[in-house]
Amino acid sequence: MTRKERHSLGEGLLFISPWLIGLTVFILLPAFMAFYYSLCDYSVLKDPVFIGPGNYVDLATDATFWKSLWNTVFFAALALPLGTFLSIGLALLLNTPIFARPFFRTIFFLPSLVPLVALAILWQWIFNGNFGVLNHLLGLVGIDGPDWLGSTTWSKPALVVTGLWGAGHAMVIYLAGLQDVPRSLYEAATIDGAGWWQKTLNVTLPMLTPVIYFNLIMGCIVILQVFAVPYIMTGGGPARSTLFYTMYLFDQAFQYLNMGYACAMAVVLFVLIALLTASAHFLSRKHIYYAGS
C-alpha cells in the first residue's frame, strides 16, 4: 500500500471505529462469552467451572425445555403466517385510492408504536374472563366467552391475536414495496384482460417477494424471541401452556441463577434461528424474484 492508501485506510477505520467498538463489545464479546459459559457450571455468584457439554446433555432430558420450545414453535407457526397475511392485506387495501388514505395508514401503523408493557396490560384487560371487553361484547350476542388467559386451549390463540396488533409495522414495509412495482406491468396486464385478482397473483405478489422474504426472516427472528408480552399477560401459565423459550431461559438465568444452563439455551436458540434463516435463503433462490436479476 502506498502512503496515501494507508492514510485513507486509517481515516476510514477511524470513522467506523464507533461501530466496530459497539460490534465487538456488545455483540461479538457477549456471544463468545455466552458460548464459553454454556460449557460451564456458572451461577454468577461463583467462578465458572468448566464441565464440557454437560449443560447440553441436561437440555436433552429437560421436559420443561422441550415444552417451552414446542410452545414457541407452535406460537410462531400460528402468528407468523397470520401476521403476514394481515400485513399484506392491509398494504394492498391502503395502496388503493380510497378516501382518507393517509389517515388510515397512520391509524393502522400507530399500534406498533405502543410500548410492549402497555400493550400487554391493555390486552390482558380485554381478554379478562370475568370483566373483559371481549367477553362483554360476546355476551351481547349470546355467546359465553371463555377464560381466555386462564385456559390451556385459548391462551396461545389469545396471544396470537395480541401479536397481530402490531401488524402495522410490516404493513408500512409492504407499502414501500408496492410503490416499487412498475406501473407498466399493470398496464400490460390490463391490456391482456387481467382483473384485480389476476394482477395481484401474477404481478403484485411476485414483485413483492423480496419484501415478503425480508419480513418473514425478521419476523421469524423476533417471534422466536417473544418474551415481554406473554411474560406480563400470563407469566407462562396456565399449566405452562404459554411458557415460551426465552421465558424459561430468563427463569434459568435470573431466578435459579443457572447462567451456564441459560447460555446453553441461548446457543441452541441461535443455532435454530441460523438454520431457519439458511433454509429460507436456500428456498429463496427459486421463489424470490428480483427485478434486476
Side-chain angles (χ1 to χ4, degrees):
M1 297 176 65
T2 64
R3 181 178 180 181
K4 183 177 181 181
E5 288 173 337
R6 289 196 300 270
H7 182 71
S8 297
L9 177 61
E11 287 183 341
L13 291 175
L14 179 63
F15 277 110
I16 66 171
S17 59
W19 181 85
L20 290 176
I21 294 172
L23 175 68
T24 303
V25 174
F26 298 111
I27 298 180
L28 297 182
L29 181 60
F32 172 79
M33 296 303 296
F35 177 73
Y36 171 72
Y37 288 143
S38 72
L39 302 174
C40 299
D41 180 9
Y42 183 39
S43 65
V44 182
L45 302 178
K46 298 180 180 180
D47 293 334
V49 178
F50 186 81
I51 58 173
N55 287 320
Y56 296 96
V57 175
D58 293 340
L59 282 177
T61 58
D62 186 351
T64 306
F65 164 78
W66 291 107
K67 176 69 173 179
S68 66
L69 181 60
W70 162 250
N71 287 338
T72 305
V73 172
F74 183 79
F75 175 77
L78 288 177
L80 193 57
L82 288 176
T84 300
F85 288 131
L86 179 61
S87 300
I88 294 176
L90 289 174
L92 290 173
L93 176 64
L94 297 178
N95 195 49
T96 57
I98 61 174
F99 173 75
R101 183 171 60 176
F103 171 77
F104 287 111
R105 287 179 175 179
T106 304
I107 291 298
F108 282 113
F109 176 70
L110 279 178
S112 65
L113 302 179
V114 176
L116 292 180
V117 174
L119 171 70
I121 293 175
L122 171 65
W123 282 95
Q124 189 178 39
W125 172 60
I126 292 175
F127 283 120
N128 188 282
N130 296 321
F131 52 84
V133 175
L134 181 58
N135 278 357
H136 175 72
L137 295 176
L138 292 175
L140 295 179
V141 294
I143 299 176
D144 187 15
D147 183 9
W148 296 94
L149 300 179
S151 167
T152 57
T153 302
W154 293 103
S155 54
K156 276 195 281 288
L159 291 176
V160 170
V161 173
T162 303
L164 297 178
W165 181 255
H169 183 271
M171 177 203 73
V172 171
I173 300 177
Y174 286 124
L175 274 172
L178 289 173
Q179 308 305 312
D180 199 38
V181 179
R183 300 296 100 185
S184 58
L185 296 180
Y186 291 120
E187 294 170 359
T190 301
I191 294 174
D192 290 338
W196 179 87
W197 183 244
Q198 287 78 14
K199 293 178 183 177
T200 301
L201 288 180
N202 299 300
V203 177
T204 304
L205 292 181
M207 295 297 296
L208 204 60
T209 48
V211 183
I212 297 174
Y213 170 66
F214 170 79
N215 274 335
L216 284 177
I217 292 296
M218 298 305 297
C220 183
I221 293 173
V222 171
I223 208 167
L224 289 178
Q225 300 180 74
V226 61
F227 174 77
V229 172
Y231 188 80
I232 295 171
M233 291 181 66
T234 66
R240 294 181 174 176
S241 61
T242 59
L243 179 66
F244 294 121
Y245 194 95
T246 52
M247 296 169 65
Y248 186 50
L249 190 156
F250 176 85
D251 289 341
Q252 288 291 338
F254 300 107
Q255 289 195 19
Y256 311 138
L257 295 182
N258 196 354
M259 187 62 71
Y261 196 79
C263 288
M265 290 186 63
V267 172
V268 171
L269 180 61
F270 169 77
V271 172
L272 177 61
I273 292 176
L275 289 175
L276 290 175
T277 304
S279 300
H281 180 69
F282 176 77
L283 294 174
S284 70
R285 299 177 181 178
K286 295 183 179 180
H287 300 284
I288 306 298
Y289 173 77
Y290 295 99
S293 60

